[in-house]
Amino acid sequence: MSGTVVTRELSARSDNQVYIVQFQTQVISEYLDALTDAGATLSYYLANNAYIVEMDRVSEQTIATMPFVRWVGPY
């Protein structure tokens, strides 16, 4: 859905600390350990190999560059 605009009311706030992290493959414990080691707190599993996590911007930037992470975005 490239080009889809989200209204301000539905957008994450600038101080958001809740994200979706999607993995390249099915989730394995080593992926989850790496997220927690990087400062994330795991909340819930989502379909399509993803987790809802709480983390700060520094952790988000670190996790987004991990080779097994497909996508990181605000929840």
Side-chain angles (χ1 to χ4, degrees):
M1 292 190 153
S2 181
T4 302
V5 177
V6 177
T7 64
R8 187 172 58 137
E9 294 82 20
L10 296 176
S11 297
R13 296 181 350 196
S14 61
D15 62 346
N16 177 60
Q17 291 195 329
V18 182
Y19 294 86
I20 298 171
V21 176
Q22 185 180 35
F23 301 101
Q24 297 282 357
T25 66
Q26 77 182 76
V27 181
I28 59 174
S29 61
E30 289 82 1
Y31 295 171
L32 303 179
D33 291 344
L35 264 60
T36 56
D37 290 346
T41 301
L42 305 172
S43 293
Y44 301 101
Y45 174 78
L46 292 176
N48 299 315
N49 308 319
Y51 259 84
I52 296 175
V53 304
E54 292 183 47
M55 60 186 163
D56 60 23
R57 295 271 182 207
V58 173
S59 296
E60 184 261 336
Q61 291 171 354
T62 300
I63 289 169
T65 64
M66 292 179 173
F68 51 84
V69 171
R70 178 177 183 198
W71 180 81
V72 176
Y75 180 69

